[in-house]
Amino acid sequence: MPRPKKTIDVLLHQQRLLADFGALALQSDDLDEVLTTACRLVADALGTRRAKVFELHPGENRLFARAGTGWRSDIIGHLSLPVTDETSEGYALRSRHPVISRDLRHEDRFEVPEFMQREGIVSLANAPIFVPGGGIYGLLQVDDTTPRDFTEDDVQFLRVYCSILGQVVDRLIKEKALRSSEEKFRMTVEAATDYAIFITDAENRITDWLPGAEAIFGWTKAEAEGQSGAIIFTAADRAAGQPEQEIETARRTGRADDIREHLRKDGTLVFIEGVTRALYDIAGRPVGFIKIGQDQTARRDADLRLRTLLEGIPQLVWRSAARGMWTWASPQWLSYTGQTQEQTHGMGWMDAVHPDDQAALRDGWAAANDRDELDIDFRIRRQSDGAWLWHHTRSRPVRSSSGDIIEWLGTSTDVQAMNELQERQRIMVAELQHRTRNLIGVVGSIASQTMTETGPTPAFLEQFNDRLSALSRVQGLLSRSDRHPVTLRALLEMELGANSAQPLAPDVLDGPAVRIRPTIVQTLALALHELATKARKHGALSGGGGTLHVRWQVKGRSDDARLFLEWRETGIAPPTPATDGTGSYGRMLIERALPYSLGARTRYELGADGLICTIDLPLERSTQPQEDT
C-alpha cells in the first residue's frame, strides 16, 4: 500500500538534510561547528524547535551540553548533568537504545531534569552517538514543547543520523589529536637546537631541514632542502660510499648508527653521534629517512685529552665500579702486568696482585664507600721479570650532581724504590743512634777517668752520668720514631721508671695521648729527667712518703694547640738551701732553656706544701694526638 504523500515528502526532506550534513562534515574540521549544525538539521528534519548534543565524560559520570539549537546560551556550553537511570538520558546510555517520550507529563519511567521542566519541554527523542569500535561519544536529543508522536521512521532516521555523526566526531577528535601531536613534535624538534634533525625522501634528498641541523651544520633551510643527504659527509667518506651504505643499512634493518666526523658549511669538521632511521608508509614501504645526531665534538676532544693525559703519566691508571669491579685499565697497567683489557675487567685485575695482599685489598674496597676513598699498599707482579713490587694505590669516587657515585678513578704508583730507600734510612738512623749511645758511653768513661785523676766530687760524676743516661734513653726513642712516634706518656714513663725503684701507681700519670715532635723531644726529655731526678733524691720518689701526680692536657685549636703539663709533688720535706735547687742546672733548664728554645711558659714553685712545676708549650700544626704505645 503506498505511503501518504506527506510522509514521503518528510522522508525526502530528511534524506536531503542527511546529504547536507554529510557535505558539511566533509568540509569542516571544527567539532563545535559540526555539532551545532547537526542539532539544527536534526531539529528541522524531525519538526522540533530544539535539539542538543550531550558529551559523555565517563571519568566524572556526567553529561555536558556541548552543542544545541533553540536553547539558551546559559545552558549550551555550561550545563552538566549526572548520568543516572532515573533520567531518559541515563536510560538511553545504559540500554544503548533510543528513548522516545510522547508526553513527559505522563511519563513514569524516568524523571525530567529541572531545566527541561522550566523550559516547558513535553516530548523528546534521543539516541546514543556511537563511535567506531562501539564506544559512546554522547547523546543526541530533540525536544519539543508540545506532545509529539515520533514514528518508527523518525527513530530509524535518528539512529542513522547518530551513526553518521559518530563517524564524523571520531574523525574530528582523532584529527585534532593528530594535529596537536604533530604540533608538539614540530615544536619539540624545532626547539632541540642541540640536535641536528633532518628528513630525506626515499632517494636521500633532503625534504625537511630543521633548526637544529642549521645550527650545527651551518646550511640554511633554503640551502639544504633539495640537496642530497650526503652533503654533510666528508669527501673521504663520500668517496668510500659511506652515505649510500648508511642509507642501505637503514633501509634493510630500519636503522643505521652514524658516529663519525661530518662536514660543516664552512668546511670545518664536527663529530656527530647519531642514527639514521627509515620512515614507512601505511603499507610498510620505506618512504624516506630521518637523521638525528648530536654534536659531541667538545666531549670527544675532552676525552682524547684526558686519555692522552692518563696514558702519558707513569702511574698505572684504572676505572672501577663499586667494590673494585674494574671497567677499564690504562695501557700502563696492561704493559706492566701483561694482562689484556678484557682480563682486567671485573675482579680479573686481582690476578696481578700478590696472593698475600689480596685479602687486605678486598677489605679496603669493602670499606671504601664509607671512607670515600681507597688508600692502600700492595704488591703487583711485573711481567718483564716476574718481580712483585710494592705499589701505593689511591682511588676516589666520581659523583653525579645528586651525589650518587658514578664510578671510581684510581692510580697505582710504584713505591718499591721509595720503600727500599726508607728501609735504608731506618737502618742508617738506627746505626747512627747506636753509635751516638756508644759515644755517650765513651764520654762518660772519659769523664770518670778524668775525675779519678783530677779529683772531682762523686756528686759531679753521678749527675753527669745520669744526664748522659737520659740522653741515651732519648736517642733510643728517637731511633724508633719513624715506626713508633714519641709520645708524652712514653717520655714520662721512661724517666720515672729510671728514677723509681717501685712500679708507678696507676694514678700517677693522667692525660690524653699527645705526640711530641722529634725536634723538641730531647730538650723536653732533659727537663723531665731533672724533675724525676729531683723527686728521687729529695721528693716524692725518695721513699719519704710523698705523692707524685703528673697531669696534662691539650688546649686550643688544632692549628695553634698548646700542651699544658703540671708536675705536682705533695707530702715531701720542706726545702733547704741545699735542696731548693736555686741556680741549679735543672731549674735553669726549666725556667730559661724551655722558654728560650721552645717558646714555653714555665713556673717552678717549691714551698712548704711541696713542688708545683708547670710547662705550657706550643705544639706544631702537624702534631696530631694518637694512642700511646
Side-chain angles (χ1 to χ4, degrees):
M1 181 176 180
R3 293 177 181 272
K5 187 175 186 301
K6 180 180 178 181
T7 303
I8 293 175
D9 290 342
V10 170
L11 289 174
L12 291 174
H13 179 60
Q14 291 177 347
Q15 289 175 1
R16 283 194 298 272
L17 291 177
L18 279 175
D20 291 343
F21 176 68
L24 170 71
L26 292 174
Q27 298 173 1
S28 177
D29 59 0
D30 187 330
L31 180 59
D32 288 322
E33 179 187 17
V34 169
L35 293 177
T36 301
T37 302
C39 290
R40 178 175 58 79
L41 293 178
V42 77
D44 185 9
L46 295 181
T48 65
R49 292 183 297 169
R50 305 176 192 232
K52 56 185 177 294
V53 171
F54 280 117
E55 185 178 70
L56 177 63
H57 294 175
E60 303 173 8
N61 200 33
R62 298 185 72 84
L63 287 170
F64 173 67
R66 176 70 183 266
T69 184
W71 289 94
R72 299 196 315 268
S73 60
D74 63 337
I75 292 177
I76 302 303
H78 300 280
L79 179 69
S80 177
L81 296 176
V83 179
T84 66
D85 289 345
E86 285 73 30
T87 64
S88 64
E89 296 80 14
Y91 185 84
L93 292 175
R94 182 179 62 82
S95 65
R96 301 174 68 90
H97 287 89
V99 171
I100 307 296
S101 180
R102 179 181 181 279
D103 192 337
L104 292 172
R105 292 170 297 187
H106 305 293
E107 184 63 67
D108 58 2
R109 291 176 297 171
F110 35 74
E111 298 176 354
V112 180
E114 182 180 349
F115 82 96
M116 295 177 65
Q117 295 180 29
R118 289 198 307 267
E119 294 293 314
I121 301 301
V122 173
S123 58
L124 63 81
N126 62 34
I129 302 172
F130 294 102
V131 295
I136 296 178
Y137 168 73
L139 195 74
L140 174 63
Q141 183 169 287
V142 294
D143 311 280
D144 206 342
T145 56
T146 61
R148 287 290 308 271
D149 286 322
F150 293 101
T151 66
E152 180 63 25
D153 289 336
D154 291 336
V155 174
Q156 291 304 318
F157 169 79
L158 191 61
R159 295 183 67 177
V160 171
Y161 196 80
C162 285
S163 177
I164 297 173
L165 182 58
Q167 299 282 343
V168 174
V169 167
D170 183 64
R171 176 180 66 82
L172 293 178
I173 290 176
K174 289 180 177 177
E175 286 181 354
K176 182 179 180 180
L178 179 60
R179 286 194 300 272
S180 176
S181 176
E182 290 175 343
E183 179 64 14
K184 290 179 181 177
F185 175 76
R186 183 189 65 80
M187 294 176 64
T188 299
V189 297
E190 289 185 356
T193 55
D194 290 342
Y195 288 84
I197 304 174
F198 64 92
I199 299 173
T200 67
D201 61 17
E203 282 71 43
N204 198 29
R205 288 188 299 269
I206 298 172
T207 59
D208 296 272
W209 185 259
L210 297 167
E214 180 176 342
I216 291 177
F217 292 116
W219 285 282
T220 65
K221 180 179 177 71
E223 293 171 330
E225 290 183 351
Q227 297 285 338
S228 168
I231 189 176
I232 65 172
F233 282 79
T234 65
D237 282 344
R238 288 198 298 270
Q242 287 294 337
E244 294 78 14
Q245 293 177 27
E246 186 176 290
I247 290 298
E248 180 57 33
T249 300
R251 193 193 313 274
R252 187 178 67 255
T253 66
R255 63 166 289 162
D257 291 332
D258 182 37
I259 304 174
R260 58 169 52 86
E261 286 187 326
H262 285 289
L263 191 66
R264 288 191 176 104
K265 178 184 176 181
D266 61 6
T268 60
L269 298 179
V270 55
F271 186 78
I272 296 292
E273 286 189 2
V275 63
T276 298
R277 291 185 178 275
L279 301 176
Y280 303 93
D281 61 14
I282 297 177
R285 296 184 296 266
V287 296
F289 304 90
I290 181 171
K291 187 160 188 169
I292 304 173
Q294 188 175 26
D295 181 358
Q296 294 290 343
T297 307
R299 196 201 73 184
R300 190 275 310 266
D301 291 346
D303 286 347
L304 288 175
R305 288 192 294 270
L306 178 60
R307 183 176 292 273
T308 301
L309 173 64
L310 294 181
E311 294 180 358
I313 62 177
Q315 283 82 6
L316 314 181
V317 186
W318 42 267
R319 299 166 66 181
S320 172
R323 304 184 72 84
M325 302 294 289
W326 279 22
T327 58
W328 176 82
S330 68
Q332 298 95 309
W333 175 278
L334 305 182
S335 174
Y336 190 88
T337 64
Q339 290 184 306
T340 65
Q341 187 69 247
E342 292 72 20
Q343 288 173 336
T344 67
H345 290 180
M347 298 301 292
W349 62 276
M350 289 280 281
D351 293 341
V353 176
H354 196 287
D356 293 347
D357 301 334
Q358 292 184 9
L361 188 51
R362 289 192 178 91
D363 292 343
W365 269 114
N369 266 39
D370 293 336
R371 296 175 179 170
D372 209 38
E373 70 172 352
L374 175 72
D375 192 337
I376 191 171
D377 286 4
F378 56 87
R379 286 163 288 181
I380 301 174
R381 185 181 183 275
R382 186 168 58 192
Q383 178 202 21
S384 61
D385 58 3
W388 296 96
L389 304 183
W390 283 100
H391 284 70
H392 180 66
T393 292
R394 295 198 65 186
S395 179
R396 296 295 300 273
V398 178
R399 297 184 180 273
S400 66
S401 58
S402 60
D404 298 326
I405 295 178
I406 300 174
E407 64 175 349
W408 292 74
L409 293 180
T411 61
S412 297
T413 305
D414 186 347
V415 293
Q416 182 72 28
M418 183 182 296
N419 287 353
E420 292 174 355
L421 175 61
Q422 290 176 342
E423 180 61 26
R424 288 195 297 270
Q425 287 178 333
R426 282 194 291 270
I427 294 172
M428 290 174 63
V429 169
E431 178 63 21
L432 178 61
Q433 299 294 342
H434 175 71
R435 293 184 181 184
T436 301
R437 290 195 299 273
N438 288 341
L439 180 60
I440 291 173
V442 172
V443 171
S445 176
I446 293 173
S448 178
Q449 293 176 10
T450 302
M451 285 167 42
T452 303
E453 295 175 1
T454 61
T457 64
F460 169 79
L461 180 59
E462 179 183 1
Q463 293 182 21
F464 186 74
N465 284 333
D466 284 348
R467 288 164 183 158
L468 286 179
S469 297
L471 282 174
S472 180
R473 290 192 294 271
V474 171
Q475 292 302 316
L477 286 179
L478 288 173
S479 67
R480 302 187 298 274
S481 62
D482 58 334
R483 297 183 301 278
H484 304 289
V486 180
T487 62
L488 179 60
R489 183 180 292 273
L491 287 179
L492 287 165
E493 289 178 342
M494 178 182 71
E495 290 306 322
L496 290 174
N499 284 279
S500 176
Q502 301 295 328
L504 295 176
D507 62 344
V508 170
L509 303 180
D510 182 19
V514 180
R515 176 178 172 178
I516 306 300
R517 63 184 187 272
T519 55
I520 70 171
V521 165
Q522 185 165 286
T523 305
L524 181 60
L526 286 176
L528 297 177
H529 168 73
E530 294 300 324
L531 289 170
T533 301
K534 191 73 173 178
R536 173 174 58 81
K537 292 182 176 180
H538 309 292
L541 301 180
S542 63
T547 302
L548 171 65
H549 291 286
V550 183
R551 307 286 183 262
W552 67 90
Q553 57 183 313
V554 176
K555 297 182 178 181
R557 301 187 307 271
S558 59
D559 58 348
D560 63 351
R562 299 182 69 89
L563 170 66
F564 181 81
L565 179 142
E566 180 187 76
W567 180 291
R568 181 183 292 270
E569 297 181 43
T570 58
I572 63 177
T576 66
T579 61
D580 64 4
T582 302
S584 67
Y585 171 78
R587 290 195 62 168
M588 291 177 64
L589 179 65
I590 294 171
E591 295 179 329
R592 297 183 185 180
L594 291 184
Y596 177 78
S597 61
L598 305 183
R601 294 190 289 264
T602 63
R603 180 167 65 99
Y604 189 98
E605 295 182 359
L606 181 61
D609 295 332
L611 170 65
I612 298 178
C613 178
T614 61
I615 300 173
D616 178 6
L617 59 84
L619 297 172
E620 285 184 346
R621 289 176 183 266
S622 60
T623 302
Q624 297 293 332
Q626 66 180 47
E627 290 301 322
D628 291 337
T629 56

